């Protein structure tokens, strides 16, 4: 989920630089590590989108997912600020700064997350078997064999959970299998990074005692923990405590694009050493070396950044985490139907089929099996 001020409307095709049409051949089954479609469902909000029908709005719906070879993904439930502020964005001499978002009221967060979860449940029920909620790798793979789309529930920011962890078991019982302790704001568990470029992700204190307890509880239940949006000290606390692989569902390399949301080489190395995965984030503000909010970048820029991750930590530890419906996408990846552009570009770059299968699907399945015990 990108900060609302960092989002931008995609430029009209006649005014923006086009970077290639969808490649029709060579589809690879893709499991995506992060999207924000739940906030846009017609079941969740008036005027929302019907996930089962093809739309020209946003980035993700079932028809466009199928066109792009996407067979499932982690669907984020996220509570926006109840009272959005104005004037948070500041242009600096060499980048930007966004004032850190304020903490959420816990009761409001619980109501919001419950409404999104209920909307996802209603959408799955209405899909008549075309979409399935999955809580195990076997269920994901069975859905894939049956040509059904898999949804795995993710919580982006743990504000809906109290310090005594009340509600965590109930969320697990309703299907939650992935949890990010923070979004880019503080909560009772830890501190998210503010959106800034160029800036280190070392922006504040580490996990609180409640945050450390939440890590242990998720390990015990079998909920995958997500380090995306977590500041660097919190990352190292998570790495020291967790018994599961370290995962960042949607992040890029700080060495390529020095935005706070990206992981330093030392953090990347820790992810690889743990057997974890980085879900490569398509958000242009995190992909572009200059951090600009300009979607007119060639697919080669995207591939070069992803390849840095592969070269640094190995192809067993890189997957995809698009941030569809939550960030500004590069034009070649303007929605889910354009995912074959990335696969084709990776092939052109020298990636073989076995490596593509790892990055597109298999690495997520391995980490799920190790985390959902």
């Amino acid at each position: 989920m990108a900060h609302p001020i960092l989002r931008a409307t995609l430029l009209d095709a006649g005014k923006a630089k086009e970077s290639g049409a969808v490649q029709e051949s060579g589809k690879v089954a893709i499991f995506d590590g992060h999207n924000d479609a739940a906030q846009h469902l017609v079941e969740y909000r008036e005027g929302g989108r019907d996930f089962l029908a093809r739309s020209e709005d946003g980035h993700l719906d079932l028809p466009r997912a199928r066109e792009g070879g996407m067979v499932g993904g982690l669907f984020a439930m996220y509570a926006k600020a109840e009272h959005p502020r104005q004037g948070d964005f500041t242009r600096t001499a060499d980048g930007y700064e966004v004032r850190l978002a304020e903490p959420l009221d816990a009761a409001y967060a619980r109501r919001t997350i419950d409404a999104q979860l209920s909307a996802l449940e209603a959408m799955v029920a209405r899909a008549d078997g075309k979409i399935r909620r999955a809580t195990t790798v076997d269920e994901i793979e069975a859905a894939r064999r049956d040509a059904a789309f898999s949804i795995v529930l993710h919580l982006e920011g743990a504000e809906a959970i109290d310090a005594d962890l009340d509600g965590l078991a109930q969320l697990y019982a309703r299907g939650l299998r992935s949890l990010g302790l923070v979004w880019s704001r503080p909560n009772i568990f830890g501190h998210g990074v503010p959106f800034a470029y160029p800036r280190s992700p070392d922006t504040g204190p580490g996990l609180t005692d409640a945050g450390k307890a939440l890590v242990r509880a998720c390990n015990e239940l079998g909920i995958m923990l997500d380090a995306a949006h977590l500041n660097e000290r919190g990352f190292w606390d998570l790495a020291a405590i967790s018994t599961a692989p370290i995962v960042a569902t949607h992040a890029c390399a700080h060495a390529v694009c020095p935005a706070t949301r990206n992981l330093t080489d030392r953090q990347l190395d820790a992810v690889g050493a743990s057997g974890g995965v980085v879900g490569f984030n398509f958000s242009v503000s995190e992909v572009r070396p200059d951090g600009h909010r300009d979607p007119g970048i060639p697919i080669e820029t995207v591939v070069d950044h992803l390849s840095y991750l592969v070269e640094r930590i190995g192809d067993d530890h890189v997957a995809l985490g698009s941030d569809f419906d939550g960030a500004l996408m590069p034009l070649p990846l303007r929605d889910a139907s354009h995912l074959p552009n990335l696969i084709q570009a990776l092939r052109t770059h020298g990636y073989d089929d076995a490596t593509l299968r790892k990055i597109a699907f298999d690495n997520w399945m391995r980490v799920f099996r190790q985390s959902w015990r």
Side-chain angles (χ1 to χ4, degrees):
M1 162 63 61
H3 191 282
I5 297 175
L6 296 182
R7 298 179 198 161
T9 303
L10 286 177
L11 300 174
D12 182 83
K15 298 178 181 177
K17 175 183 176 182
E18 291 289 341
S19 301
V22 177
Q23 301 290 330
E24 293 298 333
S25 61
K27 279 187 182 177
V28 170
I30 294 169
F31 189 95
D32 182 36
H34 188 87
N35 74 74
D36 290 289
Q39 296 170 59
H40 304 278
L41 297 177
V42 67
E43 290 88 351
Y44 174 60
R45 64 180 178 86
E46 185 177 352
R49 299 200 306 268
D50 182 354
F51 190 81
L52 304 183
R54 197 183 200 287
S55 174
E56 296 305 315
D57 295 330
H59 307 135
L60 180 62
D61 50 51
L62 184 60
R64 285 184 288 179
R66 285 176 166 166
E67 289 172 25
M70 184 174 165
V71 298
L74 286 166
F75 277 59
M77 299 175 291
Y78 161 80
K80 295 180 180 180
E82 188 172 10
H83 305 291
R85 300 181 308 201
Q86 300 296 321
D88 286 356
F89 180 83
T90 301
R91 177 66 65 185
T92 63
D94 54 355
Y96 59 83
E97 303 275 349
V98 179
R99 187 160 51 125
L100 186 64
E102 295 178 349
L104 290 186
D105 173 74
Y108 160 76
R110 281 193 294 273
R111 291 194 304 271
T112 302
I113 297 307
D114 184 66
Q116 287 179 16
L117 178 49
S118 296
L120 282 164
E121 291 170 340
M123 185 266 289
V124 171
R126 188 168 59 86
D128 194 27
K130 294 188 289 290
I131 299 174
R132 300 178 188 173
R133 280 196 304 155
T135 58
T136 68
V137 173
D138 288 348
E139 289 176 347
I140 295 171
E141 292 178 337
R144 181 182 170 190
R145 288 193 299 271
D146 296 340
F149 186 87
S150 296
I151 285 178
V152 175
L153 298 180
H154 171 77
L155 183 60
E156 186 171 25
E159 287 88 354
I161 300 170
D162 292 326
D164 61 4
L165 307 187
D166 180 46
L168 182 63
Q170 288 89 337
L171 285 169
Y172 179 85
R174 292 182 70 178
L176 184 71
R177 290 298 181 272
S178 179
L179 181 146
L181 286 83
V182 297
W183 183 66
S184 287
R185 60 189 169 213
N187 63 26
I188 61 173
F189 303 109
H191 300 263
V193 290
F195 292 93
Y197 173 101
R199 176 96 70 86
S200 165
D202 186 11
T203 59
L207 298 183
T208 65
D209 288 344
K212 294 172 183 178
L214 179 57
V215 170
R216 297 185 183 99
C218 286
N219 284 163
E220 184 175 348
L221 276 173
I223 297 174
M224 187 180 78
L225 288 155
D226 177 19
H229 289 277
L230 188 61
N231 70 4
E232 189 171 0
R233 295 185 199 182
F235 175 96
W236 293 117
D237 285 342
L238 171 63
I241 297 166
S242 180
T243 58
I246 305 170
V247 170
T249 60
H250 55 306
C252 295
H254 193 271
V256 177
C257 172
T260 48
R261 279 274 289 107
N262 288 340
L263 301 179
T264 66
D265 283 350
R266 185 167 169 248
Q267 288 175 295
L268 292 174
D269 293 344
V271 171
S274 77
V277 159
V278 175
F280 178 71
N281 183 6
F282 299 170
S283 171
V284 295
S285 297
E286 278 72 50
V287 171
R288 292 178 62 110
D290 61 13
H292 290 174
R293 294 184 296 117
D294 178 2
I297 57 175
I299 194 66
E300 290 77 17
T301 300
V302 179
V303 169
D304 286 346
H305 195 144
L306 187 152
S307 294
Y308 180 90
L309 296 173
V310 172
E311 291 162 8
R312 182 77 196 187
I313 58 177
D315 58 24
D316 287 329
H317 307 293
V318 180
L320 302 179
S322 69
D323 211 357
F324 282 145
D325 283 330
L328 178 62
M329 297 288 108
L331 284 175
L333 297 172
R334 62 177 62 80
D335 63 34
S337 70
H338 287 71
L339 284 167
N341 279 344
L342 178 58
I343 300 302
Q344 181 60 39
L346 290 169
R347 280 202 172 100
T348 301
H349 200 78
Y351 287 75
D352 60 22
D353 286 346
T355 303
L356 290 173
R357 286 194 296 270
K358 286 182 182 181
I359 293 171
F361 188 85
D362 293 345
N363 288 342
W364 278 127
M365 299 306 110
R366 175 182 56 78
V367 168
F368 292 162
R369 288 191 188 278
Q370 292 175 285
S371 302
W372 294 347
R373 54 182 178 272

